[in-house]
């Protein structure tokens, strides 16, 4: 994705689906899985992406938008100074492991867990941002949020659930291929077959994920009914930090199994590749690492200025 050729509406669309209920994971998701050609530019515009995404669901007042911009800038400053060094350390280790040759399944699983380990601290730091915004919503804005979340849910169900289990699996294979190729490069025929078989074996994973998403949204609307009460920050924090529990037992079991399955898939794809696969993976890690090293933590004047 080349941001130099994007207009404002297309930038908005690019970020629209980068966020789930864990709103501020954009700062990590954009960097590690969005596949943009310029990580530095993507990082700089992640805060704008968050605001645009929020405004897809809620029409903000001027005061709310200014407060959200300030809060996101504070979050970005923390993330840049505290988290990017952690990313660089991980990428150094990934580069070193790939340079040794095809990593073992244990090594692949280890690096997957390193990425998941970045989430808790980010969610913890993002929670006050969500509290400030959501506690300020009017009844009309909450109704607007409920309507837009329902429309978004229906859109996703139409997008991800095809007419038959076979068609749903094929669509899952296309999404999976797109994601893994960002790290491994173009897949060969054997690798494509591995992705197809893997996607077909996922069963009702998509349905469970979508139901978990709906469960979380309903829980959020319930919590928002108490947004004027002193316990609201604690209730929202529990909802954000323990979202898998809210999404249901089926979702939790699916996520546990999915982590293992994804690590196995990546290992199989690397094994079925050649030196080009490893070269692409190492190059991707080096590219991200280089971008992280040159990113500035200076405040964004356009955001800071309101």
């Amino acid at each position: 994705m080349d941001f130099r050729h994007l207009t404002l509406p297309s930038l908005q669309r690019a970020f629209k689906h980068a966020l789930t209920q864990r709103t501020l994971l954009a700062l990590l998701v954009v960097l590690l899985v969005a596949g943009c050609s310029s990580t530095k530019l993507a990082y700089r515009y992640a805060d704008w992406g968050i605001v645009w995404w929020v405004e897809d669901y809620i029409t903000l007042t001027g005061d709310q938008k200014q407060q959200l911009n300030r809060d996101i800038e504070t979050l970005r400053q923390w993330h840049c100074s505290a988290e990017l060094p952690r990313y660089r350390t991980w990428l150094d280790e990934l580069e070193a492991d790939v340079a040794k040759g095809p990593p073992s399944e244990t090594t692949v699983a280890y690096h997957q867990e390193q990425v998941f380990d970045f989430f808790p601290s980010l969610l913890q730091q993002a929670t006050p941002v969500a509290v400030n915004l959501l506690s300020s919503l009017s009844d009309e804005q909450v109704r607007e949020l409920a309507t837009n979340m329902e429309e978004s849910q229906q859109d996703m169900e139409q997008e991800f659930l095809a007419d038959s289990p076979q068609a749903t699996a094929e669509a899952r294979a296309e999404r999976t291929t797109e994601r893994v190729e960002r790290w491994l490069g173009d897949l060969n025929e054997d690798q494509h077959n591995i992705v197809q078989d893997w996607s077909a074996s996922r069963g009702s994973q998509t349905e469970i994920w979508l139901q978990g998403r709906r469960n979380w949204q309903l829980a959020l609307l319930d919590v928002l009914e108490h947004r004027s009460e002193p316990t609201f920050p604690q209730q929202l924090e529990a909802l954000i930090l323990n979202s898998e529990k809210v999404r249901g037992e089926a979702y939790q079991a699916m996520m546990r199994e999915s982590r293992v399955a994804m690590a196995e898939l990546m290992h199989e794809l690397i094994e079925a590749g050649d030196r080009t696969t490893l070269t692409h993976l190492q190059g991707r890690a080096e590219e991200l690492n280089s971008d992280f090293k040159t990113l500035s933590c200076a405040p964004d004047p356009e955001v800071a200025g309101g």
Side-chain angles (χ1 to χ4, degrees), residues 58-129:
I58 310 167
T59 303
L60 300 178
T61 66
D63 288 343
Q64 287 172 328
K65 189 181 296 186
Q66 288 182 6
Q67 182 63 55
L68 180 58
N69 279 328
R70 288 193 294 268
D71 288 346
I72 291 173
E73 177 61 20
T74 299
L75 177 64
R76 192 185 74 85
Q77 288 295 309
W78 164 81
H79 187 268
C80 186
S81 60
E83 295 297 275
L84 289 191
R86 295 178 61 204
Y87 296 178
R88 295 197 298 267
T89 299
W90 164 61
L91 288 165
D92 283 340
E93 194 170 4
L94 177 61
E95 288 180 48
D97 284 343
V98 174
K100 298 174 185 176
S104 67
E105 189 171 333
T106 300
T107 301
V108 172
Y110 166 79
H111 284 291
Q112 177 181 259
E113 288 306 308
Q114 294 305 294
V115 175
F116 278 107
D117 284 346
F118 294 141
F119 290 170
S121 58
L122 181 54
L123 289 173
Q124 187 76 52
Q125 292 291 325
T127 296
V129 183

Side-chain angles (χ1 to χ4, degrees), residues 151-280:
E151 290 180 357
S152 173
Q153 180 73 13
Q154 292 178 5
D155 288 345
M156 296 191 78
E157 289 175 358
Q158 291 177 4
E159 179 181 357
F160 294 130
L161 297 180
D163 296 333
S164 67
Q166 180 181 358
T168 298
E170 290 175 355
R172 183 187 299 127
E174 291 180 7
R175 295 193 300 271
T176 302
T177 298
E178 181 181 354
R179 291 165 186 161
V180 299
E181 284 188 337
R182 291 167 185 158
W183 286 93
L184 303 182
D186 293 338
L187 302 184
N188 60 36
E189 183 177 355
D190 287 344
Q191 290 170 319
H192 276 292
N193 290 335
I194 290 171
V195 172
Q196 291 286 342
D197 292 342
W198 183 87
S199 298
S201 71
R202 295 298 88 214
S204 58
Q205 175 176 301
T206 303
E207 291 87 342
I208 294 171
W209 175 75
L210 285 168
Q211 183 58 52
R213 186 176 189 269
R214 182 179 291 278
N215 293 344
W216 193 94
Q217 291 177 344
L218 293 174
L220 173 63
L221 292 175
D222 183 63
V223 168
L224 284 174
E225 291 298 314
H226 310 282
R227 63 190 181 282
S228 61
E229 298 177 7
T231 57
F232 174 69
Q234 290 75 30
Q235 291 178 316
L236 185 59
E237 179 180 40
L239 188 59
I240 292 173
L241 300 184
N242 302 299
S243 74
E244 289 194 5
K245 181 178 180 181
V246 176
R247 293 169 196 251
E249 293 183 2
Y251 181 93
Q252 295 174 61
M254 180 270 291
M255 287 300 295
R256 288 192 297 269
E257 194 275 336
S258 182
R259 284 197 189 191
V260 175
M262 179 55 72
E264 292 174 348
L265 171 65
M266 291 299 290
H267 178 254
E268 287 185 40
L269 291 175
I270 292 172
E271 286 290 309
D274 52 24
R275 187 61 212 176
T276 302
T277 301
L278 289 180
T279 300
H280 193 281

